[in-house]
Amino acid sequence: MGDTELSYYLPSRADGVNDMGLYLGFRAPRHLFAPRRVLATWALLLLRHPPIAAHVIPPLSNGSPFDTDYSSARFSYTAPTSPADAIRKASALLKLQKDVSRDEILDRYLNGRRLLGNNRLSYLTLTENSPATEKDDAEFSLFISAAHFSSDGTASHRLANEVFTTIAGTKMGSVCTATELEELVRREWQARWGSGSTAVVLPPPVEERLPPVRGAFRKAAGRVDFLNSSRKHIGGHVLPRNDGANRKITVQTITFDESTSRTILRKCKSQGVSVSNTLFALCALAWTRTQLERGVELRTDLPIMMYTALNLRPYLLPSDSSYWISALGFFNIILPSFLPSTSFSGYKPPWKALRSTFWHRARFAKAQSARAARHPMLATRVREMARQRSETAKALAVEDDAKEFGLPMPPPTPSSSPTIAEKFTPPPAALLGLSHHGDLDGIYIHKDYPSIQLHSLTGGTRIRPGGLLLFAHTFASKLTLTLEYDVNGFKDGMVEAWWKDLLGGLEEFLVGKPAARL
């Protein structure tokens, strides 16, 4: 495993932290999703993308976490011995069920016993719900479960689109029959494994696919740049949390109709920003509003920091390997915590000043995003951050395993005095994680499977206790916001109050309803 994969894998071992789930609701003819067809489709995709069917060989341990080389964890793949074996293995990673709601599917996955593990890195669940009005049509849902250390959200979306294209695509003039799908499985297996091939089929870690940095001087300069940029990541605002409470994840989804979605997009374009940029500004302003409403003293001396993911695929060197990889970097957006002309708690600035401030901060978020995405030392920054996160994960893994074995932790080893370039800086505090997946209609090619009507999409992650994430995307021409958080991890009413203020600000600034003014 590379550093990015290790940073996700090690924390996931106990309870599946960061395991991802993707839910898609759709309407389709029932015969298209007959069990035989679904199984053959899934078997075909597992052959095309071996990482989906891989497993993990965990780090070897001699009975003590202090002697364990956590970096030795690795992926492994065992090819099916025949087309029939490919079908059998696919069946073990597939579940067909009836009449289970979206909320129940998400709750079981996010709050129930972990579904994935070292020997199961992905799982596909197809649910048929009450039939629609037309003959043979029914409502379905597709749920893709995936370990974050082997993939990311973009990979899950591409896989879902490939499921629909394979099972209902009409590029060849007509939809494949079940027999034809099984023949595709046979051909795929024959092409890959029929000759006894032992070719390496698992993709290299994402760090190895980034442009290389050559020369000792450039590597040293990159590390100094990373350390210097890290010191600028200052955040002093977090939602107050409850320590020690049992985790209970909830997912709140708001979907705007097509007309409102177009209005929001036009408003953003008129100001030269994206929906993603405005969400950062909304999150920050809503938090300031929530604090002032509750009479909490607002710390205007420290800014608000939010972290977000960066899709690394556009930066990777060309490769013939599968898209099923974890290709994410991270960067922070930092915005002021004060309102214009605010000098004491409870003061409401003039509406024009507040509106101007909102758009200014959205443009500030845009500038920070552009700098992070276009930085000349992006590859070095990604590698350094992955290494840092991996080292942290390994240190925490030692503590977790020591606790499990009932072993005391040894006292920390005294370190030498830090150099000027490595002097200690306090860890930054983030308000939340925010990820905007953009227009997913660019991934889901609806016209390729006209008999399927995709209408809803929701994601979910088994977050840590006290976790708070906000996702946004456009799907089927509709903008959706998804808030995911640990209900028991925060002081009563804090997340709900902040969420209400965020939605109110969205209505005010992006939809144009003054009654909802922030």
Side-chain angles (χ1 to χ4, degrees):
M1 290 186 182
D3 284 328
T4 296
E5 295 158 339
L6 271 176
S7 70
Y8 283 118
Y9 168 68
L10 293 174
S12 76
R13 296 174 304 153
D15 192 37
V17 169
N18 292 319
D19 285 356
M20 304 179 300
L22 173 62
Y23 174 96
L24 289 124
F26 61 96
R27 179 177 171 181
R30 187 181 289 104
H31 72 271
L32 283 181
F33 289 87
R36 183 182 167 194
R37 293 175 55 80
V38 175
L39 179 56
T41 297
W42 186 225
L44 178 61
L45 298 188
L46 294 182
L47 285 171
R48 288 178 180 171
H49 306 286
I52 303 176
H55 61 277
V56 172
I57 298 177
L60 296 177
S61 173
N62 295 323
S64 169
F66 311 120
D67 299 324
T68 299
D69 180 9
Y70 289 97
S71 298
S72 65
R74 60 189 177 92
F75 293 108
S76 182
Y77 176 74
T78 303
T81 57
S82 66
D85 189 38
I87 294 287
R88 180 188 63 79
K89 288 186 174 183
S91 179
L93 301 176
L94 173 67
K95 182 178 182 180
L96 305 177
Q97 60 185 14
K98 289 190 175 184
D99 298 326
V100 184
S101 69
R102 186 206 73 160
D103 290 346
E104 190 173 355
I105 290 172
L106 287 171
D107 184 65
R108 287 178 184 175
Y109 183 68
L110 300 178
N111 294 307
R113 184 177 180 181
R114 189 188 185 193
L115 176 65
L116 306 178
N118 286 340
N119 296 316
R120 181 192 289 165
L121 307 189
S122 65
Y123 200 78
L124 185 69
T125 303
L126 179 74
T127 305
E128 179 185 338
N129 292 307
S130 302
T133 54
E134 282 81 357
K135 186 179 180 181
D136 189 44
D137 276 13
E139 289 289 336
F140 292 91
S141 71
L142 189 75
F143 192 77
I144 296 175
S145 310
H148 207 343
F149 55 82
S150 69
S151 64
D152 56 23
T154 299
S156 294
H157 291 302
R158 292 181 65 175
L159 178 63
N161 180 69
E162 196 169 355
V163 169
F164 296 129
T165 302
T166 303
I167 204 167
T170 58
K171 279 191 173 182
M172 303 302 294
S174 61
V175 174
C176 289
T177 65
T179 300
E180 290 169 337
L181 288 171
E182 290 168 347
E183 175 61 17
L184 290 175
V185 173
R186 187 194 69 78
R187 292 179 183 177
E188 189 72 28
W189 180 87
Q190 186 66 35
R192 288 179 175 270
W193 310 111
S195 61
S197 171
T198 58
V200 176
V201 294
L202 297 179
V206 66
E207 295 87 6
E208 294 182 13
R209 292 182 57 186
L210 288 166
V213 178
R214 295 185 174 91
F217 176 78
R218 289 186 178 182
K219 291 179 180 179
R223 178 161 175 76
V224 171
D225 166 73
F226 174 74
L227 291 171
N228 287 337
S229 66
S230 298
R231 294 191 188 98
K232 299 175 184 178
H233 299 160
I234 301 171
H237 295 260
V238 294
L239 277 78
R241 286 168 166 80
N242 292 323
D243 295 329
N246 292 327
R247 182 187 63 185
K248 173 67 175 178
I249 302 171
T250 186
V251 177
Q252 311 256 342
T253 300
I254 302 291
T255 298
F256 299 92
D257 58 38
E258 291 187 34
S259 176
T260 303
S261 298
R262 285 194 299 269
T263 297
I264 292 172
L265 183 60
R266 282 197 301 266
K267 185 66 69 70
C268 291
K269 284 186 175 181
S270 71
Q271 296 292 330
V273 295
S274 67
V275 174
S276 175
N277 305 147
T278 61
L279 285 176
F280 286 110
L282 282 171
C283 287
L285 285 174
W287 174 240
T288 299
R289 166 73 170 177
T290 303
Q291 294 284 81
L292 293 176
E293 284 179 340
R294 291 182 166 243
V296 178
E297 182 178 357
L298 185 64
R299 292 208 60 178
T300 57
D301 58 322
L302 291 174
I304 298 171
M305 186 176 75
M306 295 157 278
Y307 66 90
T308 188
L310 175 65
N311 180 10
L312 297 177
R313 283 173 169 76
Y315 308 95
L316 302 183
L317 299 174
S319 172
D320 295 330
S321 58
S322 171
Y323 57 67
W324 197 258
I325 57 172
S326 185
L328 291 179
F330 293 91
F331 64 93
N332 296 317
I333 298 295
I334 301 171
L335 297 175
S337 58
F338 56 84
L339 294 179
S341 303
T342 300
S343 58
F344 57 90
S345 177
Y347 176 80
K348 292 186 177 180
W351 156 240
K352 288 185 178 180
L354 186 59
R355 180 180 60 184
S356 176
T357 297
F358 167 75
W359 290 114
H360 173 75
R361 291 181 182 174
R363 287 187 282 271
F364 188 29
K366 176 184 177 180
Q368 293 180 60
S369 299
R371 279 199 302 271
R374 300 170 187 168
H375 197 277
M377 292 189 176
L378 173 67
T380 301
R381 287 186 173 186
V382 169
R383 288 192 180 96
E384 287 296 324
M385 179 170 286
R387 181 189 60 80
Q388 187 181 78
R389 295 177 66 238
S390 174
E391 291 300 321
T392 300
K394 284 184 278 190
L396 293 176
V398 173
E399 294 182 17
D400 292 342
D401 291 350
K403 184 182 298 184
E404 182 179 348
F405 295 142
L407 300 174
M409 286 292 295
T413 303
S415 59
S416 59
S417 300
T419 64
I420 294 177
E422 295 179 338
K423 65 181 180 181
F424 173 78
T425 55
L431 185 69
L432 78 157
L434 192 159
S435 182
H436 188 270
H437 294 139
D439 187 357
L440 295 179
D441 291 328
I443 295 179
Y444 293 90
I445 314 301
H446 303 261
K447 63 181 179 60
D448 287 350
Y449 32 87
S451 56
I452 297 177
Q453 298 177 16
L454 300 174
H455 54 68
S456 57
L457 183 154
T458 304
T461 305
R462 286 174 69 99
I463 55 177
R464 299 174 183 273
L468 175 66
L469 298 174
L470 177 62
F471 301 97
H473 65 260
T474 300
F475 180 70
S477 301
K478 292 177 285 189
L479 174 65
T480 295
L481 303 183
T482 300
L483 178 70
E484 181 180 357
Y485 65 101
D486 175 13
V487 175
N488 297 331
F490 296 89
K491 300 297 183 182
D492 290 344
M494 285 301 299
V495 176
E496 293 79 4
W498 169 79
W499 182 233
K500 179 181 177 182
D501 285 332
L502 187 150
L503 295 178
L506 190 148
E507 290 283 341
E508 176 188 9
F509 295 116
L510 301 182
V511 180
K513 296 182 178 179
R517 284 185 177 177
L518 183 70

